[in-house]
Amino acid sequence: MESPISLKEAIKKINELKNEYYFRRESELVDLNDSVSRELSETIFADSISPEFDIAAMDGFAVRCEDAYPLKIKGSVYAGDSMVMFKCGEAIA
């Protein structure tokens, strides 16, 4: 059994294999709606972070585990909204 290689050597080998075997296709400009199941021809970087805060992307409730039930639903927060503070006995949907 061969000994493990360094991370630097592994990345070099991966790049060599990618350059040898990866099939490069021509680039074309398509409408965003037609871009499903396609790949980018170049790396792109976002100009800003969205949403601004780390928040859940799923439906649910924000609660404090120390609170007793029932809780009063105080409001709603959606992806991209600013953070919301809530008090003891309250929940955010």
Side-chain angles (χ1 to χ4, degrees), residues 50-61:
S50 179
E52 286 186 47
F53 305 101
D54 292 333
I55 55 177
M58 304 296 174
D59 294 336
F61 288 88

Side-chain angles (χ1 to χ4, degrees), residues 27-89:
S27 294
E28 62 180 324
L29 187 61
V30 297
D31 188 80
L32 182 62
N33 292 327
D34 298 327
S35 66
V36 176
S37 298
R38 300 182 72 130
E39 62 185 56
L40 294 172
S41 62
E42 63 185 62
T43 302
I44 60 171
F45 297 95
D47 292 333
S48 62
I49 297 173
S50 179
E52 286 186 47
F53 305 101
D54 292 333
I55 55 177
M58 304 296 174
D59 294 336
F61 288 88
V63 299
R64 292 169 18 108
C65 62
E66 299 90 18
D67 290 347
Y69 296 96
L71 301 173
K72 181 178 181 179
I73 298 175
K74 196 63 179 174
S76 298
V77 177
Y78 299 95
D81 286 353
S82 297
M83 288 192 290
V84 174
M85 302 297 288
F86 55 99
K87 300 175 187 169
C88 296

